[in-house]
Amino acid sequence: MSRIYYIVLLFLGLWIKYEKYREQPMVQFKLQYLLYAETSDPTYPLICGNFPRTFKTTGFCSTIKVIEEDINIDGKKEFLDLELYLTMNETLDVHSITLLLIFDFKIQDLCLLEMESMAVITHSSALPGGRLDVFGDLHLVQKTPLVCTPRKPIRMNRPILLFGSPDWLVNIYEEYSKRTLSTKLDNVLVKWTRGRPYKQPFLVKTKINYDSVEILYKPKFWQVMKWAWIQYFSILVLSVFIFKKVKRFLFANHIVTTKIERST
């Protein structure tokens, strides 16, 4: 009985539990952003952005240019090209930039997911700068597999930019890190340009690619059975065939001693 139990456990241990596939997500920049710049005056960071006016800004984002393009005309945009100009006092120098960008992120081929997500760009330098160029890919981060249902999408639309606490930036990071599903910027390349022309704004220029993402999900019952049929049935047929050949060889050549008992 114990042998049968261990065989069953081994069989279940080899059972498929998770599956993955790749999909091009539908991503759209929500025109919500927050720029936090640390300057040569430690007590006076510059903060500007486009978000609900529940927070007092200390800087002025004079111009923002946004381009999102669907190059192959499949209804899904491929990248975000953004330029952000921070107007500032000519006596201040910028030494650190943190930029939060908010997106609508959707997948819909096999699993249905709708969420508000974020990309964080951060860079600092001991040399005062006048321009920051950033290039990267927006990737999906999963802590748990998705449970996909065809008619019930997973929605995570809670606002990310919340300014309720005094240490609001740390609070935003902390709450975002707790999410089971999020996005982040990967394959990041950065160019920091030192110096700033007189009376010219600080320029942040970034290009973010919306590449296909790998999605981990729990397969449905029939998908598991299909996989099990292909994997285990072929092994079972081969095992039975080999076992019969071995048994016939052992008994035909009297390698194993046998005894026939007849019940009365």
Side-chain angles (χ1 to χ4, degrees):
M1 183 66 181
S2 61
R3 291 182 179 179
I4 298 176
Y5 176 73
Y6 284 118
I7 291 174
V8 172
L9 286 181
L10 177 63
F11 181 77
L12 293 177
L14 295 174
W15 204 266
I16 184 174
K17 297 181 179 66
Y18 309 116
E19 192 57 272
K20 62 180 67 174
Y21 75 101
R22 296 192 69 84
E23 178 183 340
Q24 174 74 30
M26 296 183 64
V27 183
Q28 183 173 3
F29 180 48
K30 296 185 68 173
L31 296 177
Q32 293 184 17
Y33 66 93
L34 186 146
L35 178 65
Y36 183 95
E38 294 184 349
T39 68
S40 50
D41 183 354
T43 65
Y44 191 71
L46 298 177
I47 306 169
C48 65
N50 184 11
F51 42 81
R53 295 300 176 185
T54 58
F55 180 75
K56 183 179 179 180
T57 59
T58 58
F60 178 52
C61 297
S62 58
T63 307
I64 178 172
K65 298 179 181 179
V66 177
I67 299 176
E68 288 181 296
E69 287 194 18
D70 180 9
I71 299 175
N72 55 6
I73 317 179
D74 63 348
K76 298 179 180 180
K77 297 170 182 176
E78 277 76 37
F79 67 88
L80 165 68
D81 200 339
L82 181 143
E83 293 183 12
L84 183 61
Y85 295 84
L86 173 64
T87 300
M88 52 191 296
N89 190 321
E90 52 271 9
T91 62
L92 294 176
D93 292 320
V94 176
H95 289 272
S96 174
I97 288 290
T98 298
L99 178 61
L100 311 184
L101 303 175
I102 307 300
F103 298 89
D104 272 328
F105 187 95
K106 297 179 182 180
I107 58 175
Q108 58 185 6
D109 286 354
L110 184 59
C111 299
L112 300 179
L113 169 66
E114 301 175 3
M115 69 174 179
E116 180 174 292
S117 69
M118 178 172 67
V120 179
I121 296 171
T122 180
H123 185 76
S124 61
S125 174
L127 300 174
R131 172 171 175 157
L132 176 65
D133 292 87
V134 181
F135 305 89
D137 304 325
L138 190 68
H139 281 184
L140 177 67
V141 179
Q142 283 186 257
K143 294 182 180 178
T144 58
L146 295 180
V147 179
C148 302
T149 53
R151 297 183 180 179
K152 187 178 179 181
I154 301 170
R155 290 190 172 92
M156 302 177 65
N157 295 321
R158 182 181 176 183
I160 296 173
L161 298 181
L162 300 174
F163 306 98
S165 65
D167 203 354
W168 51 268
L169 186 56
V170 173
N171 185 62
I172 290 174
Y173 285 169
E174 181 180 2
E175 292 300 319
Y176 194 68
S177 68
K178 292 178 182 178
R179 293 177 43 157
T180 57
L181 291 168
S182 59
T183 57
K184 69 173 184 177
L185 208 58
D186 275 347
N187 304 322
V188 180
L189 300 173
V190 176
K191 173 64 169 63
W192 177 267
T193 303
R194 61 178 297 184
R196 181 168 57 91
Y198 183 66
K199 292 187 177 180
Q200 292 298 312
F202 185 95
L203 170 61
V204 180
K205 182 177 175 60
T206 179
K207 184 172 183 179
I208 299 177
N209 300 309
Y210 304 153
D211 291 334
S212 61
V213 297
E214 187 173 81
I215 300 163
L216 185 68
Y217 70 99
K218 291 185 177 181
K220 297 296 184 181
F221 173 77
W222 289 114
Q223 185 178 356
V224 173
M225 295 305 298
K226 178 182 177 182
W227 184 89
W229 175 264
I230 296 173
Q231 297 292 322
Y232 296 127
F233 181 72
S234 58
I235 297 175
L236 176 63
V237 171
L238 181 61
S239 300
V240 171
F241 176 77
I242 294 175
F243 179 75
K244 285 184 177 181
K245 289 291 186 181
V246 172
K247 184 177 69 172
R248 183 177 299 176
F249 174 80
L250 293 176
F251 287 107
N253 293 276
H254 303 286
I255 296 175
V256 178
T257 302
T258 60
K259 182 174 67 174
I260 299 177
E261 293 186 357
R262 299 180 182 274
S263 59
T264 58

